[in-house]
Amino acid sequence: MQPAPPFALRHTAQLPELLHQLGVTIALSTYQAGKVILLSAPDEERIIQLPRSFPKPMGIAEDLETDRLAIACRDEVVVLANSGELAQFYPKGPGKYDALYLPRATYHTGDLDIHDLNFGDGGTSLYAVNTRFSCLVKLDDRYSFTPVWQPRFIDKLAGEDRCHLNGMAMRNGKPAYATAFSETNMPVGWRPNVTKTGVLLDVDSGETIVGGLGMPHSPRIYDGRLYVLQTAKGEVCEVDLASGAVTVVCKIGGFVRGMSKAGDYLFVGLSKLRKNSSTFGKLAFAKEADRAGIVVIHLPTGARVGELTYASSVDEIYDVHVLAGKRRVNVLNTLTDDHKAGLSAPTATYWRKLKA
């Protein structure tokens, strides 16, 4: 058999129709492949993808007010701004895209192992989960990071990944909830019992809302309800904030990580398990976790209604983010000179010719 071409994918028949009707583009980050991939449905029959290279991309954030994206990378966070006008006259495809994000600023953070990332405070702040130092931080142009919160069981700032703090849910422009793999205060102390010691933390009170979670990721608030992924159990769950009760919305049975909502649908990232991992090899679904892609869930019923799977190139996905109201999106990185030609001012845009 011939090997599959790079980034070959297959999907359920109804998925292009769903994406097209929702009028969205799905962005996913795969640090393993070093790509942010944009998935669009130009009509109800096709899904078109656009992979862009970024160094170890992780969390993806969007600020709706200013139409910006931020992407957490290996040792930096890149901020990009959308220009519909530049998209319309993009030299390599005039009229092809309805959104074009170009890099406008970079925070040189150093290697913080940033996981989740969010704009806050009306778009004036950029919050990040600093996994290396076990804290939530703000990013600016003065420091590598400014700590704003750390779990009550972490006694000092140290680059030791003590609890594998990874997820952050926002409410009213501020971090409201966080997930970690364990309540440990030792260097990499979360590893021994990683599949059963996860916690969901209340940022304001510092208290643990629920413990005993299986590698929690991607806490998100939708319509006033809190959802979280239990990666070690392959489950999408809802958490009752008053009682701490955990209800399974959908059991996917794979390594889930990264979640975003459009309309009544959740788009959940699915990763292959690392076959040589002593930790992941113990998971109940280890033998079945042989694909990477996106699972679509109808949230009101918990039913799986679609799936996209990669046959090559993509093994591990970190984040999934819905770009609402944008049917065909392009993103330019800083690895080529293309972004330098797109010039924008508050009242005008220009495409400059690049030298051959």
Side-chain angles (χ1 to χ4, degrees):
M1 293 180 62
Q2 292 290 329
F7 300 98
L9 58 80
R10 57 184 180 272
H11 55 78
T12 49
Q14 71 275 26
L15 190 54
E17 180 181 1
L18 177 62
L19 290 181
H20 190 73
Q21 289 180 354
L22 290 172
V24 302
T25 289
I26 307 298
L28 65 85
S29 62
T30 165
Y31 56 90
Q32 157 263 327
K35 304 288 183 181
V36 170
I37 303 176
L38 303 163
L39 299 160
S40 304
D43 51 49
E44 295 187 349
E45 304 294 329
R46 299 176 295 154
I47 290 179
I48 293 177
Q49 62 177 333
L50 179 63
R52 289 295 190 207
S53 295
F54 289 87
K56 194 188 174 187
M58 296 283 283
I60 301 172
E62 181 182 13
D63 179 43
L64 296 175
E65 292 296 322
T66 59
D67 211 352
R68 291 178 296 159
L69 292 180
I71 301 171
C73 299
R74 176 179 292 109
D75 50 19
E76 64 188 21
V77 173
V78 181
V79 181
L80 309 99
N82 176 39
S83 171
E85 293 80 9
L86 287 174
Q88 184 179 356
F89 299 102
Y90 179 52
K92 293 185 176 180
K96 188 175 184 179
Y97 302 101
D98 59 2
L100 175 62
Y101 289 89
L102 294 94
R104 293 300 180 218
T106 300
Y107 293 106
H108 298 279
T109 60
D111 185 4
L112 306 181
D113 196 18
I114 290 175
H115 278 55
D116 277 8
L117 186 70
N118 276 291
F119 286 97
D121 304 324
T124 61
S125 300
L126 193 54
Y127 290 93
V129 180
N130 182 342
T131 302
R132 185 87 63 213
F133 284 81
S134 308
C135 60
L136 304 184
V137 303
K138 277 187 180 182
L139 304 178
D140 58 37
D141 56 6
R142 295 175 297 165
Y143 306 105
S144 297
F145 63 94
T146 299
V148 296
W149 180 86
Q150 64 188 45
R152 68 187 187 287
F153 46 83
I154 299 296
D155 65 0
K156 69 176 182 178
L157 208 58
E160 298 171 341
D161 187 8
R162 294 186 172 193
C163 63
H164 205 67
L165 193 71
N166 62 70
M168 174 174 58
M170 304 289 287
R171 183 177 57 202
N172 299 325
K174 301 284 186 183
Y177 306 100
T179 51
F181 279 4
S182 183
E183 294 185 337
T184 56
N185 193 38
M186 298 171 55
V188 201
W190 50 272
R191 282 194 181 276
N193 297 297
V194 63
T195 63
K196 57 184 76 169
T197 57
V199 291
L200 175 69
L201 306 168
D202 186 302
V203 171
D204 288 338
S205 70
E207 296 302 312
T208 300
I209 297 173
V210 60
L213 296 173
M215 298 171 63
H217 280 98
S218 312
R220 304 286 186 260
I221 298 175
Y222 298 128
D223 303 320
R225 297 181 173 184
L226 180 63
Y227 298 87
V228 67
L229 301 179
Q230 288 203 76
T231 302
K233 297 182 179 181
E235 297 174 347
V236 180
C237 299
E238 181 180 349
V239 178
D240 186 297
L241 294 173
S243 66
V246 178
T247 302
V248 177
V249 176
C250 181
K251 190 171 184 63
I252 293 175
F255 194 92
V256 290
R257 187 172 51 187
M259 177 168 57
S260 192
K261 181 176 178 286
D264 286 334
Y265 300 91
L266 289 181
F267 293 81
V268 180
L270 189 66
S271 295
K272 285 185 181 181
L273 280 181
R274 305 168 202 168
K275 299 302 182 183
N276 60 350
S277 170
S278 59
T279 298
F280 299 157
K282 300 174 184 176
L283 299 181
F285 51 76
K287 292 182 179 179
E288 290 76 34
D290 59 353
R291 66 196 189 281
I294 294 175
V295 176
V296 186
I297 299 166
H298 182 243
L299 186 54
T301 62
R304 293 173 63 160
V305 296
E307 186 167 345
L308 178 148
T309 305
Y310 278 93
S312 62
S313 303
V314 177
D315 291 337
E316 298 183 34
I317 290 171
Y318 179 73
D319 207 0
V320 175
H321 186 81
V322 171
L323 296 169
K326 297 177 172 68
R327 291 190 183 275
R328 191 84 184 269
V329 178
N330 192 354
V331 169
L332 300 184
N333 58 29
T334 60
L335 303 180
T336 70
D337 286 340
D338 288 2
H339 74 283
K340 298 179 181 178
L343 309 179
S344 60
T347 57
T349 58
Y350 311 86
W351 278 108
R352 180 177 61 84
K353 290 185 177 180
L354 293 172
K355 295 180 181 179

